Structures are given as C-alpha cells and as structure tokens.
Amino acid sequence: MIDINLPGEDGLKLTREQRERSDVGIILVTGRTDTVDRIVGLEIGADDYVTKPVEHRELLARVKGLLRRVGKGRLPPAASGTRHFYGWTLEVARRTLQAADGTFVELTGAEFKLLSVLTANPGQVLSRERLLHEISRREWDASDRTVDVLVRRLRQKLNDNPRTPRIIVTAHGEGYFFAPDVNQAVRGSASF
C-alpha cells in the first residue's frame, strides 16, 4: 500500500517506479476523492485505489482480492532463449523478431511482450484480462480494446491473415491462443 501524500515523497512517482521494477500488487491509499486522481493512479500501474477513511474490513477484503488476482493472473515467466515458428525467430533476450528471409521486424514494447507471452504458452487460450495484465499490469474492462489492437498489429507484422489466422487465433468469447508449435532453444544451446 502506498499513500499518495507521503511527507517529502510523491506516492504516484513511487508507484510508477515500483511498477517499472516489479509486478507486486499496489493499492494506493489517499484522502483525494477526485475521479481524475483515481484514474491517474490506476493508469500508472496501481491495482486498486482506496480513499480515506476506509473501513478495516473493506481494506482487508481489497487486499485479499488483490492477492487472489495477482496470484491467478500470473503466467509462468517467459523463458529466455530463441523461439521458432512458421519461419519466424523470436529472440526473447535480444527482443528481436526475424523473418525467414533474415529481415528484422520492429515491435513496440507491448507487441513484444504480447508475442512473448503467447509463444511461451502455445495452444493455451489466454483471456484478454490475463494478456493485458501481463503486458501492462493493469486490470481489463470490457471496453478496453488494447489487446485486440495489439493482436491486429502483430497479425499484420507476421503476415497472418486476420480472416483466417494461423498464428494468433481468436477464441471467441474467451481470448486468443498461439496456434503453431514453438521450438525453443535456450541461449547457448543448439537452435532448431
């Protein structure tokens, strides 16, 4: 829990710094009740926002809920190394994507994270909620199209036909899954 109005410190700045280093659950506690403050706090990476005074049982319930979400929402860490699929090579440690002809495809940070998570879990349907949490550490709501936009951009970069995708497939009403088998090589070992 981080108080926004810490003496001599900026709780929002601490939240942003913590989120850059860790995926630990963060609850902002403050006397501020303005909606803009709440939105800013959540957008910079807080998992929840509580205004003072808060009833102890409510705070305990929010902490327990956060612990459940953080525990269930975590996917196994993506192994470093090289992943091969349909002529593509994703080098996790170097954060590069290379086509079969040797050209490199530029990916944004969010696109890389999404592709990394999908290739680490081939054949497993991953909900939009879980994917959004993995790429941005924030909670998903039904109007949030971030994951869909990233999938569309990745399909375009991977030359994956959106009408009949063979790499990133939509599981209607559930999320997305990575369809091809992924051959993985740990750095330093022979590649496939």
Side-chain angles (χ1 to χ4, degrees):
M1 289 189 286
I2 299 176
D3 193 322
I4 290 180
N5 298 318
L6 292 170
E9 294 284 338
D10 178 5
L12 294 176
K13 181 181 174 193
L14 288 174
T15 299
R16 185 179 301 113
E17 290 171 356
Q18 186 64 36
R19 185 51 68 223
E20 289 173 2
R21 293 189 306 254
S22 170
D23 64 352
V24 67
I26 299 173
I27 298 176
L28 289 177
V29 181
T30 184
R32 298 179 187 174
T33 59
D34 188 28
T35 302
V36 173
D37 291 326
R38 193 171 326 139
I39 291 169
V40 168
L42 295 170
E43 284 181 345
I44 64 169
D47 297 290
D48 204 348
Y49 189 100
V50 178
T51 56
K52 296 186 260 184
V54 63
E55 212 269 36
H56 289 44
R57 289 183 59 197
E58 177 187 354
L59 184 58
L60 181 61
R62 286 177 181 270
V63 169
K64 285 180 179 179
L66 176 60
L67 291 172
R68 274 193 311 273
R69 282 195 312 272
V70 169
K72 286 182 182 174
R74 284 195 179 141
L75 294 171
S80 64
T82 304
R83 299 177 188 157
H84 303 276
F85 58 93
Y86 286 155
W88 293 94
T89 302
L90 179 68
E91 289 200 40
V92 177
R94 292 185 182 151
R95 299 177 66 92
T96 61
L97 177 65
Q98 188 174 16
D101 67 2
T103 59
F104 287 91
V105 176
E106 268 194 53
L107 298 176
T108 66
E111 290 168 351
F112 171 79
K113 287 179 185 177
L114 179 61
L115 186 58
S116 182
V117 169
L118 288 168
T119 58
N121 299 278
Q124 181 181 346
V125 176
L126 302 174
S127 70
R128 286 174 178 83
E129 179 181 13
R130 284 182 75 183
L131 290 169
L132 185 63
H133 179 74
E134 286 298 315
I135 61 176
S136 69
R137 304 292 183 229
R138 67 177 208 240
E139 294 300 310
W140 178 78
D141 79 41
S143 64
D144 194 330
R145 307 310 303 169
T146 302
V147 172
D148 301 319
V149 170
L150 290 172
V151 166
R152 181 178 47 78
R153 291 188 342 213
L154 276 175
R155 283 177 175 160
Q156 186 176 18
K157 290 179 179 186
L158 293 168
N159 301 316
D160 195 17
N161 184 341
R163 294 184 191 273
T164 57
R166 62 187 192 123
I167 298 175
I168 301 173
V169 179
T170 304
H172 293 284
E174 296 181 58
Y176 295 98
F177 68 94
F178 195 78
D181 288 332
V182 177
N183 296 320
Q184 296 188 11
V186 177
R187 282 189 71 140
S189 67
S191 61
F192 294 84

